[in-house]
Amino acid sequence: MRSPPIRDRTVLVTGGAGFIGSHLVETLAPHNEVRVLDNFSTGDQSYLPEDVTVVEGDISDPIALQQAARGADIIFHQAAMVSVGQSVAAPRASNETNLEASLLVLEQARQEDARVVAASSAAVYGHPDELPVPETASTEPTSPYGIQKLALDQYVRRYEELYDLETVALRYFNVYGPRQQGPYSGVISTFLEQARAGEAITVEGDGEQTRDFVHVDDVVRANLRAATTDSVGEAYNIGTGERISIRELAETIRDATDSQSPVIHKDPRPGDIRHSGADVSKADSELGFDARISLESGIRSLISSEPATASERAAERAVDAQ
Ligand code: UD1
């Protein structure tokens, strides 16, 4: 079950029709005036409840941004180009979205005096020099994506200091859950699709690389905590503190789906991070957040049902809450 929603606020979710954003919107919509700004490049209208205001446009479009943010108390900034590989192929395009347009969002928040909860990333650490990695670890990103997220993360924290704006940066580790799909989605959705189709499950490299996978419902709860915390001007790791190797993940998904798919190895991905795992103690002590959904149960629920629309999810949550 998710934490109690924020009530009677005007809230903007950038990227609100996307994977993480739409789950956040769904949780906030029953009790708040929710606006969604999304260009629908990866988002989907069917993920959205009916009673939200949708502004279709880029976060780089000042008119659309102004319209969507007018009167907002809180801005959850989720819009981004999320693929590390795409950022390597097109660093300027991803910089425009992930950094330059993000600065417009921060400036708009200043206009409205709105709190900002921004999606940062574990990618800011690059190859971590300690595991699990605390927020104080050195930041040496290995990709344009990581560089952009690190700059955003720093801006977000400095906006609190320089302009007295309430801001929080959430450093997401590997987020998974319903609605993560498409060519640039995460490894869990790719492996699930391959296993279900009976195709080979493609492990990149030796598969000994590890990740900390956190369920999107936990990420929503972290955002809600960040929206009300007094500990602003800070960055927090959002993960589970547990790591699994990609090879083990492939085998887990194959077994859980009763698939006959072989697990095969391909070339490693350029710039791939070897190990990633969150030290979650700061989020625990300062935000009161800890992840509740184990990878095992998260994968199980993904396999057993993947309700596509907001109304199906809302019905499911109503049952959960009983
Ligand atoms: C992910 C996020 C990124 C986030 C980062 C934080 C996505 C798409 N990207 O990057 O936004 O900032 O976590 O930690 O969610 N792999 C395979 N086979 C595949 C696909 C992937 O073996 O078919 C491997 C990759 O080589 C990598 C691992 O699985 O080692 C995870 O890849 P991926 O899900 O793309 O996420 P990250 O690159 O970790």
Side-chain angles (χ1 to χ4, degrees):
M1 207 182 13
R2 291 168 171 173
S3 17
I6 294 155
R7 287 177 183 269
D8 303 324
R9 314 300 298 275
T10 300
V11 171
L12 166 62
V13 183
T14 71
F19 164 46
I20 299 173
S22 67
H23 286 279
L24 196 50
V25 166
E26 200 179 87
T27 302
L28 292 165
H31 306 288
N32 299 277
E33 185 188 333
V34 176
R35 322 258 183 78
V36 167
L37 176 59
D38 204 296
N39 64 5
F40 293 93
S41 59
T42 60
D44 197 312
Q45 186 81 42
S46 72
Y47 297 160
L48 296 174
E50 274 167 14
D51 51 351
V52 300
T53 305
V54 179
V55 177
E56 184 168 352
D58 286 329
I59 51 169
S60 60
D61 173 352
I63 310 269
L65 181 58
Q66 214 171 33
Q67 188 192 342
R70 193 166 298 132
D73 302 307
I74 310 167
I75 299 177
F76 293 95
H77 179 37
Q78 306 294 318
M81 260 176 75
V82 298
S83 160
V84 174
Q86 261 190 315
S87 84
V88 174
R92 287 187 62 198
S94 65
N95 195 71
E96 258 168 46
T97 301
N98 295 343
L99 186 55
E100 285 181 33
S102 291
L103 266 179
L104 293 179
V105 174
L106 283 174
E107 282 298 288
Q108 196 61 46
R110 275 181 76 196
Q111 296 287 320
E112 304 293 342
D113 195 23
R115 174 177 288 227
V116 178
V117 179
S120 180
S121 168
V124 302
Y125 298 115
H127 300 290
D129 43 28
E130 46 186 313
L131 280 166
V133 61
E135 289 84 352
T136 49
S138 65
T139 44
E140 289 289 338
T142 57
S143 64
Y145 175 86
I147 294 169
Q148 293 147 18
K149 285 289 181 179
L150 177 57
L152 170 63
D153 185 301
Q154 288 174 325
Y155 269 119
V156 164
R157 287 178 288 133
R158 291 294 89 85
Y159 262 58
E160 195 267 337
E161 209 170 273
L162 296 172
Y163 310 117
D164 212 17
L165 195 70
E166 293 179 349
T167 61
V168 178
L170 298 180
R171 294 179 178 169
Y172 299 159
F173 281 65
N174 286 61
V175 188
Y176 72 100
R179 302 182 191 153
Q180 190 177 38
Q181 58 194 9
Y184 303 112
S185 70
V187 64
I188 290 186
S189 66
T190 304
F191 284 179
L192 264 176
E193 261 177 50
Q194 290 170 334
R196 280 173 165 152
E199 292 165 3
I201 299 177
T202 52
V203 172
E204 294 168 351
D206 63 8
E208 295 306 312
Q209 68 269 40
T210 57
R211 291 294 186 274
D212 179 338
F213 290 99
V214 58
H215 193 275
V216 68
D217 285 357
D218 279 327
V219 171
V220 168
R221 288 178 44 250
N223 273 272
L224 300 184
R225 295 281 181 191
T228 52
T229 184
D230 292 332
S231 302
V232 292
E234 295 286 333
Y236 298 97
N237 286 343
I238 302 302
T240 65
E242 305 283 332
R243 290 185 291 132
I244 184 174
S245 77
I246 297 302
R247 172 81 206 191
E248 196 185 336
L249 177 72
E251 287 164 0
T252 304
I253 288 177
R254 183 195 53 197
D255 296 347
T257 49
D258 284 329
S259 168
Q260 303 302 312
S261 294
V263 175
I264 62 164
H265 289 259
K266 299 200 306 190
D267 287 344
R269 184 189 283 184
D272 196 37
I273 289 166
R274 193 71 181 153
H275 299 293
S276 177
D279 179 332
V280 293
S281 48
K282 184 177 175 187
D284 186 4
S285 62
E286 292 187 37
L287 289 185
F289 166 77
D290 63 332
R292 295 179 185 162
I293 302 171
S294 69
L295 181 59
E296 197 195 11
S297 69
I299 289 177
R300 222 183 308 117
S301 72
L302 262 181
I303 291 168
S304 62
S305 69
E306 200 167 352
T309 66
S311 55
E312 281 174 309
R313 291 265 308 162
E316 188 185 62
R317 270 212 325 281
V319 171
D320 276 357
Q322 283 166 7

